[in-house]
Amino acid sequence: MEKILVIGCSGQIGSELTLELRKMYGDSNVIATDIRPAPPDIADSGPFEILDVLDEAKLRLIVEHEHITRIYHLAAILSGNAEKRPLPSWEINMRSLMNVLELAREMKLDKLFWPSSIAVFGPTTPQMNTPQYTIMEPNTVYGISKLAGERWIEYYYEKYGVDTRSLRYPGLISYKTEAGGGTTDYAVEIFYDAIKQNDYECFLSSETALPMMFMPDAIKATIDVMEADSSRLSLHSSYNMAGISCTPHMLAEQIKKHIPDFEITYKPDFRQVIADSWPNSIDDSVAQKDWGLAYQYDLPRMTEVMIDKIRKKIG
Ligand code: NAD
Ligand code: AKB
């Protein structure tokens, strides 16, 4: 039986992925951790501990004491926040990964999951239908840390056999937990403001196309890549994921179908430069071929569910 450790369970992804993992492996077999308190449904449904992933001794203690076999390492500082505090963000993003990789090597853990991002690409990358293998010269602290992380997970696979599965998530859209300080956060904020006040001031320009994905598709892909037989994986860095490519204008038009009075204005800030350096759309054919990546949600369906769920949540 697998015994799972989730690091970063209180974030946008962890708050949903942890519950899915508990359904699959049993509540008591999924140890949830974060540096901040867990949402009530995680704290109430199974084990939770406060853990700073930089505290190597405590991390080791939990892994040994709980007989952990797999780690989902989700803790990171996202692109927007990382630009405000470059060196501490580099420290958190990189040292946490190295702590986890070293533990996995020493303790021969079964598998790791560590997410990468479309932030690994940069201004010199072809922006349309960005291939799996292409020029990668990220110019953000976050992007550099994700690219370095991809190189390290592949290194640990080749040198030590540590099996880390990884996805280059696009911007994730969800209704349970707010987004964690990234460049794609507008695509979550827009729904809350549309429902609360019928307008939204967007920090990216109207025609900024970025790849996005609805959380249920991201969770399914995460579980699928972790469950895939290793013989099917042709790479051990991180898989491209395309999702839905859209601009703030396109998303606003979809929202107007449900909230006709909705108005959007644009006031680009420092995140515009980051967004401009990222792909407009992604080629994820390698993931489709290797382990069957597929999506259930397009832009209209995702918008419909987001509006419905957020209306119910905030009343
Ligand atoms: P988030 O910011 O919402 O959650 C991260 C969690 O990590 C937070 O709950 C935070 O408290 C925790 N954390 C931060 N520092 C920690 C530390 N020192 N020790 C323990 N926990 C710590 O981020 P997310 O959106 O859930 O992202 C999870 C992972 O997925 C990250 O690696 C991120 O880079 C990656 N990712 C996310 C997206 C997205 O759109 N959400 C896209 C691409 C990649
Ligand atoms: C961010 O905008 O930083 C994240 C990401 C795409 O990695 N959502």
Side-chain angles (χ1 to χ4, degrees):
M1 181 44 122
E2 300 299 342
K3 200 84 189 280
I4 315 276
L5 176 67
V6 179
I7 302 169
C9 73
S10 308
Q12 191 190 5
I13 301 172
S15 62
E16 302 205 32
L17 182 60
T18 304
L19 297 177
E20 277 309 305
L21 293 171
R22 283 189 174 159
K23 276 188 213 155
M24 289 173 69
Y25 296 103
D27 290 342
S28 59
N29 292 320
V30 178
I31 319 296
T33 67
D34 203 291
I35 200 167
R36 58 181 169 143
D41 52 359
I42 289 182
D44 295 346
S45 64
F48 168 74
E49 284 201 44
I50 292 286
L51 170 71
D52 178 347
V53 66
L54 298 183
D55 183 346
E56 200 186 334
K58 185 164 181 190
L59 174 63
R60 178 181 294 271
L61 202 71
I62 295 175
V63 171
E64 282 174 356
H65 185 252
E66 299 289 348
H67 304 289
I68 296 298
T69 58
R70 291 185 183 184
I71 300 179
Y72 289 72
H73 171 27
L74 306 174
I77 307 301
L78 274 67
S79 58
N81 284 347
E83 289 305 294
K84 293 177 193 159
R85 299 180 68 231
L87 293 185
S89 303
W90 174 260
E91 168 81 354
I92 290 172
N93 292 1
M94 292 315 301
R95 194 147 71 80
S96 66
L97 176 61
M98 300 317 290
N99 283 350
V100 169
L101 283 171
E102 266 302 285
L103 258 185
R105 178 180 72 83
E106 277 176 41
M107 303 184 69
K108 301 198 182 332
L109 299 190
D110 168 53
K111 265 178 217 167
L112 302 180
F113 179 78
W114 171 82
S116 184
S117 161
I118 53 166
V120 290
F121 301 115
T124 52
T125 302
Q127 285 195 311
M128 299 302 289
N129 218 23
T130 303
Q132 176 71 43
Y133 297 102
T134 185
I135 300 167
M136 296 164 91
E137 296 183 316
N139 59 2
T140 61
V141 174
Y142 176 68
I144 299 168
S145 75
K146 289 296 184 189
L147 182 55
E150 287 192 9
R151 300 291 79 227
W152 275 114
I153 63 173
E154 189 180 88
Y155 183 91
Y156 267 70
Y157 176 78
E158 284 172 359
K159 299 282 174 186
Y160 310 122
V162 173
D163 184 359
T164 306
R165 309 284 170 95
S166 180
L167 303 173
R168 290 174 182 155
Y169 289 135
L172 299 182
I173 300 179
S174 65
Y175 50 83
K176 184 180 175 195
T177 303
E178 66 183 34
T183 302
T184 58
D185 292 16
Y186 91 83
V188 177
E189 293 171 5
I190 192 172
F191 285 98
Y192 283 90
D193 281 9
I195 290 165
K196 280 191 232 161
Q197 62 202 39
N198 274 0
D199 64 43
Y200 177 63
E201 184 179 272
C202 185
F203 60 75
L204 298 181
S205 68
S206 68
E207 300 309 319
T208 307
L210 286 171
M212 300 283 176
M213 185 176 293
F214 196 31
M215 190 62 85
D217 281 334
I219 300 284
K220 181 172 185 309
T222 304
I223 286 165
D224 287 352
V225 78
M226 282 297 275
E227 295 302 312
D229 193 278
S230 54
S231 63
R232 295 177 63 189
L233 305 183
S234 65
L235 60 88
H236 296 277
S237 54
S238 190
Y239 281 95
N240 271 9
M241 299 236 288
I244 304 161
S245 274
C246 74
T247 63
H249 173 75
M250 287 162 69
L251 192 46
E253 289 303 303
Q254 287 297 325
I255 291 173
K256 277 184 197 169
K257 291 184 180 165
H258 303 267
I259 307 172
D261 295 342
F262 174 62
E263 282 184 21
I264 184 166
T265 52
Y266 299 95
K267 194 174 173 196
D269 68 12
F270 72 101
R271 289 167 282 192
Q272 183 66 48
V273 180
I274 302 177
D276 287 342
S277 77
W278 288 355
N280 299 152
S281 59
I282 301 270
D283 173 2
D284 60 13
S285 51
V286 179
Q288 290 180 36
K289 182 165 157 285
D290 280 10
W291 47 273
L293 172 65
Y295 310 107
Q296 287 184 323
Y297 290 89
D298 58 11
L299 190 56
R301 176 86 185 111
M302 185 269 294
T303 306
E304 190 184 319
V305 177
M306 281 293 285
I307 288 179
D308 179 50
K309 295 288 186 184
I310 295 174
R311 271 193 178 132
K312 285 182 180 139
K313 182 176 166 184
I314 65 180

